[in-house]
Amino acid sequence: QEELLESGGRSVRAGDSLRLSCAASGSIDSLNVMGWYRQAPGKQRELVATVTSREITNDADSVKGRFTVSRDNAKNTVWLQMNSLKAEDTAVYYCYYRTMFRTLLIGPDYWGQGTQVTVSS
């Protein structure tokens, strides 16, 4: 059973930067994808950015050029560096993990408990 522990969420002002961290533990497969989703009040959970253990990234258009996802495979840790934060980035940010086989996602989705990011304008 994989567990994801997030940290780093807090209240900031528009234009500030923030870095989220997520450490995975349990039966972590060598080929996997980790990353971040977010959910704002009254909205569906949406992709922010993910990165595979082979360093292939996938970013939402809304965060391109502002957010950067990175990881350390040896530490099973993923980070989200968020720059030029906007009020619309306010959401609960969830860490995500899923096993891969070649280019396919397999097995269940795993989620962290979520960390709140609030951006005031």
Side-chain angles (χ1 to χ4, degrees):
Q1 179 76 15
E2 284 78 353
E3 293 189 6
L4 304 174
L5 183 62
E6 304 130 331
S7 62
R10 61 183 178 91
S11 295
V12 297
R13 302 181 74 99
D16 285 351
S17 297
L18 198 59
R19 191 190 198 204
L20 304 182
S21 299
C22 173
S25 60
S27 300
I28 306 299
D29 294 280
S30 59
L31 185 57
N32 62 70
V33 59
M34 293 185 68
W36 300 89
Y37 283 70
R38 67 187 180 187
Q39 187 166 18
K43 294 188 177 182
Q44 289 189 330
R45 191 172 297 188
E46 64 177 7
L47 168 74
V48 178
T50 60
V51 55
T52 72
S53 48
R54 293 178 177 171
E55 305 289 343
I56 298 172
T57 61
N58 181 29
D59 303 336
D61 288 343
S62 60
V63 306
K64 286 184 187 296
R66 299 188 300 123
F67 293 8
T68 302
V69 63
S70 60
R71 64 183 291 163
D72 183 329
N73 289 336
K75 297 180 179 178
N76 293 322
T77 299
V78 64
W79 296 275
L80 183 67
Q81 178 65 43
M82 303 185 290
N83 298 328
S84 302
L85 281 160
K86 305 175 181 180
E88 51 263 44
D89 295 318
T90 295
V92 177
Y93 284 70
Y94 295 91
C95 184
Y96 169 79
Y97 167 91
R98 194 166 179 189
T99 298
M100 295 182 69
F101 175 73
R102 295 182 180 172
T103 61
L104 301 177
L105 298 174
I106 61 172
D109 296 326
Y110 289 94
W111 298 96
Q113 79 285 357
T115 185
Q116 177 70 46
V117 173
T118 302
V119 184
S120 59
S121 56

